[in-house]
Amino acid sequence: MDKLKILLAKGRIYESVYELLSDVGISIHLPDRTYFPTTNQEDLAFQVVKPQIVSLLLANNKADMGFSGKDWVYENGCQDDVVEIMDLGFDPVRIVAAIPEARDFDKLLKSPVTIATEYQALSRKWVEDKKIDGTIFRTWGTSEGFVQDNEDSIAQILIDNTSTGSSLKANRLKIVDTLMESSTRMYASKTAMADPAKKQKIMELKMLFETVLNARSRVMLEMNCAEDKFDTLIKGIPSMKSPTVSPLFGGNGYAIKIAVKKSEVPTLLPKLQSLGATDIVEYELRKVML
């Protein structure tokens, strides 16, 4: 099999994916002023590109696999020309329409409007669906400054991505509609998925990523329990499958291991103690294969 060609997007996506690759055992190093990271995997080849073009390159079979926000896949109109392998859940955002806080959306639409946005295709579809008399003004990067509550404002509506809405609020803008929700996802070209060897490698990578993501949301708890408390404790504890139980030396009780969701720990620890657990230890997991 030829090397699997993988696209890494610059910016926030790169940092998240770099950490994920590292956690599965794939190290990459990007020398200064280059776009081709070195790696400890002989069957993988990486290239760093702008996040906006990952899906276009995959759709045109210029690479086998890549990481992109769902928003740019749809902005490029590539959703039917690439294969979504998995949602990594990184950098979740909403693509929203926003206007000045003091303005009324319905009144605003009674006159022709200008829409400031990086997302030209998504905005055109939104304008058509809403039957808005609007002109799209292309921006790059930060765009909040183009929409102000005055007659000299370049645009009256902003379409942009937001995670918390704090930047919009700081610029006195309010959300009036959500076009879509997006996050970083793993995509493959259709040609790569039609190649049995490449498809197998892509699905193996997916499996490895899943083990790391599963582990990030869980912890292992170890505890001891006296013999007379054992049945009550076992009935009251959650576990991914069933707990691991070993007799303590001397036959005075049991050692118990359970893997649980991190979100359950704050309420679970007091419960375990009340059920008779002692010597409770919590530690992180690196990989979990369900």
Side-chain angles (χ1 to χ4, degrees):
M1 182 186 81
D2 294 335
K3 287 189 176 185
L4 194 72
K5 297 177 182 177
I6 302 175
L7 301 176
L8 302 174
K10 287 182 178 181
R12 287 184 304 174
I13 292 178
Y14 182 89
E15 299 302 325
S16 299
V17 173
Y18 174 92
E19 185 178 355
L20 179 62
L21 290 169
S22 178
D23 285 349
V24 303
I26 300 172
S27 65
I28 58 174
H29 171 66
L30 182 62
D32 291 340
R33 302 179 184 276
T34 67
Y35 298 93
F36 297 92
T38 58
T39 179
N40 62 346
Q41 304 297 308
E42 294 183 356
D43 56 350
L44 304 180
F46 293 94
Q47 182 177 356
V48 177
V49 298
K50 290 185 176 181
Q52 293 90 334
I53 66 169
V54 170
S55 57
L56 286 171
L57 292 171
L58 291 176
N60 286 281
N61 299 311
K62 303 301 182 183
D64 302 311
M65 196 188 98
F67 303 90
S68 173
K70 179 182 175 182
D71 52 343
W72 284 109
V73 174
Y74 277 73
E75 171 64 16
N76 291 330
C78 295
Q79 60 269 28
D80 296 326
D81 301 316
V82 296
V83 181
E84 181 178 321
I85 304 301
M86 68 180 296
D87 182 358
L88 299 172
F90 302 153
D91 303 314
V93 296
R94 290 183 295 153
I95 313 304
V96 300
I99 65 172
E101 289 177 338
R103 294 295 179 99
D104 180 271
F105 186 45
D106 291 331
K107 289 182 180 178
L108 190 68
L109 296 183
K110 290 181 178 179
S111 303
V113 293
T114 298
I115 299 158
T117 185
E118 274 192 292
Y119 297 101
Q120 293 188 89
L122 291 176
S123 297
R124 279 195 295 271
K125 184 177 185 306
W126 182 74
V127 165
E128 292 169 2
D129 291 345
K130 297 290 183 180
K131 296 180 171 55
I132 294 171
D133 184 2
T135 301
I136 295 169
F137 175 74
R138 174 67 185 269
T139 65
W140 285 266
T142 304
S143 305
E144 290 91 344
F146 292 109
V147 181
Q148 302 177 48
D149 189 14
N150 59 55
E151 297 302 320
D152 295 326
S153 179
I154 293 174
Q156 293 72 50
I157 299 175
L158 171 70
I159 291 181
D160 204 354
N161 62 64
T162 182
S163 54
T164 65
S166 58
S167 181
L168 295 174
K169 197 169 293 185
N171 286 276
R172 298 182 179 180
L173 298 174
K174 64 182 180 183
I175 296 171
V176 292
D177 199 8
T178 297
L179 282 67
M180 71 178 298
E181 295 183 352
S182 178
S183 57
T184 300
R185 303 178 183 213
M186 174 182 171
Y187 291 94
S189 73
K190 288 189 172 182
T191 300
M193 293 301 284
D195 181 317
K198 287 186 175 181
K199 180 179 180 180
Q200 179 179 343
K201 186 63 182 178
I202 289 169
M203 300 313 289
E204 287 173 354
L205 288 172
K206 177 189 177 186
M207 180 270 292
L208 290 172
F209 295 155
E210 286 175 337
T211 65
V212 169
L213 295 176
N214 288 336
R216 287 181 182 180
S217 65
R218 292 171 170 83
V219 294
M220 182 71 78
L221 295 179
E222 288 190 6
M223 69 206 77
N224 294 335
C225 176
E227 191 170 354
D228 62 338
K229 303 284 188 181
F230 179 74
D231 288 339
T232 302
L233 178 61
I234 289 295
K235 290 177 182 177
I237 60 175
S239 179
M240 286 167 49
K241 299 295 183 185
S242 58
T244 301
V245 179
S246 303
L248 291 173
F249 179 76
N252 297 320
Y254 299 92
I256 302 167
K257 287 184 180 181
I258 56 172
V260 299
K261 292 181 179 178
K262 285 183 180 180
S263 58
E264 296 174 340
V265 171
T267 55
L268 185 57
L269 289 182
K271 180 182 179 183
L272 292 174
Q273 188 177 50
S274 71
L275 292 172
T278 61
D279 308 316
I280 303 172
V281 178
E282 174 187 335
Y283 54 88
E284 299 287 335
L285 299 168
R286 292 186 59 82
K287 293 183 179 70
V288 174
M289 187 176 293
L290 299 176

